[in-house]
Each structure stands twice: as structure tokens, then as C-alpha cells.
Amino acid sequence: MSDPAARSPGPGITGDDITTLRVDAIVNAANEQLQPGGGVCGAIYRAAGPRLHAATDQLGGCPTGEARITPGFNLPARFVIHAVGPRWAGGRNDEPEQLAGAYRSAFALARSNNLSSIAFPAISCGIYGYPVELAAPIALAESQRAIQEQPGLEVILACPDPAVRRAYLRAAGSGPD
């Protein structure tokens, strides 16, 4: 029998709606004000119910590249980790490091709250305009790093948009070129 820690599995990539996943935490692609928005953010707030907005109001915002945690309320996930990714500005404003920081901060919250499963959307790839082909390798690298640091951690990258899912699969080396 082989040692499971030696296998070092990577994150799972799924087309599932993140608001339906039964994991310890889902990640919200949040804005700095931690207010309901469009896209994934809006869907999470709608699915969680009005108590999520009340909880994020108490947090006082979150800088780009960081994350905050709240209960999941009406979601199947116990927690929502609100990670603020950067707006794409052509790579001139340290966007790759800010995006990596948002993932690292979310994983740090998962670790400090003893969470064993977490699901991420494609942070910054919606209205923030980050090119998915550039964001996917960052998401995968940070996910792999977290899995190595916390053996047994289940990481899901939820990509319901087929084009986004294909980009993530390509970046993982398991999709069409």
C-alpha cells in the first residue's frame, strides 16, 4: 500500500456551480468593500442569504491580495472565504503577485480554521478582466503548494464556464491544446 502523502494529488477542476458544493469553505471572488457584486460574488450572496451581507459589513473591507472569512449561512459550505483579487491592468500593477496573495491568504484562513476542503472560482477572471490563461497557472501553483503544505487538503477549482474550465485543464496539462 502506498503512502497517500507521497502521491501529492493536485486540485480537482469541475464545472459545478460553486454555491452547490458541499465543502468546508467556498471562496468568493470579492471586491475590497466585501459588498455583493455581480458574477460569482453575487451568486454567493444570493445563495447564502441576507446574513452574509450583514456579516461582511462587520469586517470593514479587505485589501487586494488578502482574504477574510465568514460563516456560509444558507450555503452547503460551512464558511465563505472572501478573497480579493486584482483588477487586470495589463500586468503593470503587480497583478500576478496580488492574485497569488489572494489564494495564499485564502489557504491560510483554511489552515487556521482547520478546514479540510475548499473550493475556488476563477478569481479576478470575470469583471476584473484578468486573462484566464494567465490566472489559471497561478491558481494551480498556489493550490498545489497548499496541498503540499497541508496533506489531505481537498482543493476544488470550480469553473462552470466551459472556456474557463478548458483554460484550467490546459494549465494543468490535462486539457486540449
Side-chain angles (χ1 to χ4, degrees):
M1 190 162 171
S2 64
D3 176 11
R7 284 195 298 263
S8 184
I13 300 170
T14 182
D16 294 335
D17 175 348
I18 198 167
T19 66
T20 66
L21 297 177
R22 294 193 177 282
V23 291
D24 289 336
I26 62 169
V27 175
N28 174 24
N31 55 60
E32 287 187 332
Q33 297 76 33
L34 300 180
Q35 295 299 301
V40 173
C41 180
I44 289 171
Y45 274 89
R46 285 188 299 278
R51 292 182 296 166
L52 181 60
H53 191 187
T56 57
D57 279 347
Q58 300 300 311
L59 296 175
C62 179
T64 299
E66 294 185 19
R68 303 291 185 265
I69 191 168
T70 63
F73 300 107
N74 297 339
L75 292 162
R78 294 186 308 146
F79 297 97
V80 177
I81 296 176
H82 307 269
V84 181
R87 292 182 185 273
W88 181 250
R92 297 180 301 273
N93 294 330
D94 204 26
E95 294 99 304
E97 182 53 38
Q98 291 176 335
L99 183 58
Y103 280 93
R104 284 192 297 268
S105 185
F107 282 121
L109 285 170
R111 201 169 28 259
S112 67
N113 285 277
N114 298 313
L115 307 182
S116 61
S117 57
I118 185 171
F120 286 85
I123 297 173
S124 289
C125 294
I127 62 172
Y128 279 18
Y130 207 113
V132 69
E133 299 80 14
L134 301 177
I138 294 169
L140 288 159
E142 293 303 329
S143 297
Q144 190 62 44
R145 179 177 293 129
I147 291 167
Q148 289 171 348
E149 291 173 357
Q150 186 180 343
L153 177 66
E154 178 187 7
V155 178
I156 299 169
L157 302 173
C159 305
D161 180 281
V164 172
R165 190 168 50 258
R166 281 191 300 274
Y168 270 67
L169 289 168
R170 275 193 304 275
S174 57
D177 289 329

